[in-house]
Amino acid sequence: MKDPKEIQQAVSDQMESAVMYLDDALAHIRAGKASVRILDPIRVDYYGASTPLANVSTITTPDARTIQIQPWEKNMLSVIERALINSNIGLAPNNNGEVIRLIIPPLTEERRRELAKQCKAEAENAKVSVRNARRDAIEDLKKAQKEGLPEDAEKDAESEVQKLHDKFVKQIDEVYAKKEKEIMTV
């Protein structure tokens, strides 16, 4: 028989993971201002190995609308530029022979709405994950009750799982609201 505290800890960990995943997913959505995290998925060919861009260059944001990439080796400029062009980030690299700059264009109102809708979908996916974790925990608690856990202990644990669910759904709503505000602010 599983201990209710173990079940609650496991569900809490699952729900925390859903919130962290949402936070990471929203960080990769371009909101009209420069963020080095939009370059996280980009990989470059570094001496035959597929390497994250951050492992072969210094990436900075000198101002709110510019991302600057300083390769550690000059011969990596063209490789990085090609990787940026082939990626789907939607930014054209400017190469001056020393550094590569990505200029973040201001977002149109239509694009802001699309990004907000995309963020809402990500938030809803996170909520579904939290609900699924709650459902699984309640099923585990019911199994534990059949195996000998007292009914009142099962009900108490179930209410704790519901409190965890409510707490993490509130966190998801807060993360989403913050990102939506960032996107919609001109």
Side-chain angles (χ1 to χ4, degrees):
M1 170 174 69
K2 283 187 177 177
D3 180 41
K5 293 287 184 212
E6 290 175 9
I7 294 172
Q8 290 172 1
Q9 185 59 47
V11 76
S12 178
D13 292 345
Q14 286 177 322
M15 291 178 178
E16 181 71 35
S17 295
V19 173
M20 289 184 341
Y21 177 81
L22 173 66
D23 197 35
D24 188 53
L26 294 183
H28 290 94
I29 295 177
R30 187 162 49 101
K33 67 179 189 183
S35 169
V36 297
R37 295 201 53 199
I38 64 172
L39 300 178
D40 285 352
I42 297 177
R43 300 180 79 75
V44 295
D45 182 36
Y46 185 65
Y47 296 107
S50 180
T51 309
L53 180 59
N55 290 6
V56 297
S57 62
T58 303
I59 304 171
T60 58
T61 53
D63 60 54
R65 296 244 182 246
T66 308
I67 299 174
Q68 184 171 298
I69 304 164
Q70 173 80 49
W72 295 336
E73 300 175 22
K74 287 261 194 222
N75 62 344
M76 290 301 294
L77 271 170
S78 62
V79 175
I80 292 171
E81 187 174 23
R82 194 171 29 252
L84 290 168
I85 291 169
N86 293 336
S87 71
N88 61 353
I89 60 170
L91 299 173
N94 296 330
N95 181 351
N96 69 2
E98 294 283 325
V99 296
I100 297 174
R101 286 190 180 81
L102 299 171
I103 308 299
I104 311 291
L107 297 173
T108 63
E109 187 65 30
E110 181 182 331
R111 182 69 178 140
R112 288 179 194 280
R113 284 196 198 103
E114 288 174 20
L115 291 173
K117 194 182 290 186
Q118 184 181 351
C119 290
K120 186 165 183 67
E122 291 287 352
E124 193 54 45
N125 287 341
K127 285 182 183 179
V128 168
S129 295
V130 167
R131 288 186 207 115
N132 288 342
R134 177 188 59 181
R135 183 196 65 224
D136 294 345
I138 290 173
E139 287 174 6
D140 288 346
L141 289 168
K142 296 216 185 285
K143 285 180 191 171
Q145 183 185 359
K146 288 179 182 174
E147 295 172 3
L149 180 70
E151 185 177 341
D152 60 336
E154 186 267 338
K155 291 295 180 196
D156 290 344
E158 206 173 298
S159 71
E160 285 300 316
V161 168
Q162 183 62 42
K163 286 178 188 172
L164 284 171
H165 167 271
D166 296 343
K167 173 184 142 188
F168 283 105
V169 165
K170 185 177 181 220
Q171 280 184 5
I172 288 169
D173 288 337
E174 288 169 358
V175 168
Y176 165 67
K178 181 179 166 193
K179 185 65 175 187
E180 183 183 39
K181 183 179 180 209
E182 180 183 326
I183 288 172
M184 297 311 278
T185 302
V186 178

